[in-house]
Amino acid sequence: MSRLVVVTGASGGMGQHTCKVFKKNGFTVLGTDLHEGKNLEVDHFFPGEITNEAMWQEIAKKIESLNGHLDALVNIAGRNYLANINEADLDQWRNMMEVNILGMVAAIKYTAPFLKKAPNAAIVNMSSISGYIGSVGYAAYCTTKGAIDSLTKSLALELAPEVRVNAIAPGWIETPFTVEGLEKSADPVAYRKEVEAMHALNRVGTPDEIAQSIFWLATGATFMTGSVVIVDGGYMIKN
């Protein structure tokens, strides 16, 4: 019987690579996002807002119809918002909390019963080193990532021993969002070199490297729960 994984944010840079890795390793992949991406390697796709409970009820029905249990949930869906605190738009802050935090809550609420039926079931939440270091202008984003770390630890206790719950905290990763940020600088080439030099490995990471780390947390790290794994190319130890 095929193993099942649900990936949120499946159409994004890291989401697409994560779907690809699970698919390559024999999983049946259920993906969700606002819009379906091109060449997305999923078996079943559910478009919609991440907090739409009706969508999650449909996903639950699909899991039940396939084999009644879920082996892994990967919560990648999220957004960002740039503004200094004196210019903060409270509606933007509310939406950040909705998407980045409550989206995970909805996903876990509707999939936990199926995860509990699978051996070695796991949840992997997308955090960030921003939850540790902070970032000027990105207080909303950093706040949500800190909350995700706390959510991960709390649910690791609540869902134990049947389900392991961990989070992954990437650093600078070569995604469209990161590239867009680099290109907005006055000298993109110089800024990229500056950013790369901030890492002990002297480069930014790739989406596939994060996807491989997610897969390991979901399937191989069988004695880990409540952990936030930093995958940042040595950014934090160098800065």
Side-chain angles (χ1 to χ4, degrees), residues 79-81 92-100 141:
R79 56 155 300 197
N80 208 337
Y81 170 58
Q92 290 281 357
W93 272 73
R94 290 187 187 97
N95 187 251
M96 286 286 294
M97 302 297 175
E98 284 274 331
V99 174
N100 291 10
Y141 180 77

Side-chain angles (χ1 to χ4, degrees), residues 8-222:
T8 76
S11 298
M14 285 187 276
Q16 288 194 35
H17 282 266
T18 299
C19 291
K20 183 177 181 180
V21 168
F22 276 89
K23 184 74 174 172
K24 182 180 178 181
N25 284 277
F27 277 74
T28 296
V29 181
L30 286 71
T32 181
D33 210 317
L34 276 174
H35 307 287
E36 186 170 2
K38 294 181 180 179
N39 303 316
L40 191 59
E41 295 193 31
V42 300
D43 298 282
H44 306 277
F45 185 79
F46 299 83
E49 296 280 352
I50 194 63
T51 53
N52 184 340
E53 293 193 73
M55 180 190 73
W56 281 108
Q57 289 168 356
E58 289 301 311
I59 293 173
K61 289 179 183 177
K62 176 57 70 173
I63 296 170
E64 186 66 56
S65 72
L66 290 171
N67 61 14
H69 73 261
L70 181 67
D71 297 276
L73 167 66
V74 182
N75 285 311
I76 298 178
R79 56 155 300 197
N80 208 337
Y81 170 58
L82 172 63
N84 290 333
I85 195 65
N86 59 310
E87 299 172 342
D89 182 329
L90 296 189
D91 286 334
Q92 290 281 357
W93 272 73
R94 290 187 187 97
N95 187 251
M96 286 286 294
M97 302 297 175
E98 284 274 331
V99 174
N100 291 10
I101 302 170
L102 294 185
M104 288 190 184
V105 172
I108 297 168
K109 173 184 176 180
Y110 284 96
T111 60
F114 301 105
L115 288 160
K116 288 182 178 181
K117 295 178 182 179
N120 189 36
I123 296 170
V124 182
N125 296 327
M126 181 60 68
S127 185
S128 170
I129 61 170
S130 297
Y132 290 89
I133 63 177
S135 184
V136 175
Y138 290 101
Y141 180 77
C142 296
T143 297
T144 63
K145 294 305 179 180
I148 288 167
D149 293 349
S150 293
L151 176 68
T152 297
K153 294 171 185 177
S154 293
L155 294 185
L157 291 173
E158 183 175 328
L159 298 178
E162 296 91 351
V163 184
R164 296 181 298 105
V165 187
N166 294 293
I168 190 162
W172 286 76
I173 306 299
E174 191 85 17
T175 62
F177 178 82
T178 298
V179 172
E180 180 184 359
L182 290 170
E183 291 179 348
K184 283 182 178 179
S185 62
D187 187 341
V189 174
Y191 185 45
R192 173 176 282 277
K193 289 181 179 178
E194 180 183 333
V195 167
E196 290 173 345
M198 293 176 183
H199 298 73
L201 297 183
N202 203 37
R203 64 176 179 85
V204 298
T206 68
D208 184 64
E209 287 174 316
I210 300 303
Q212 296 289 349
S213 298
I214 289 171
F215 184 78
W216 171 74
L217 271 179
T219 64
T222 55

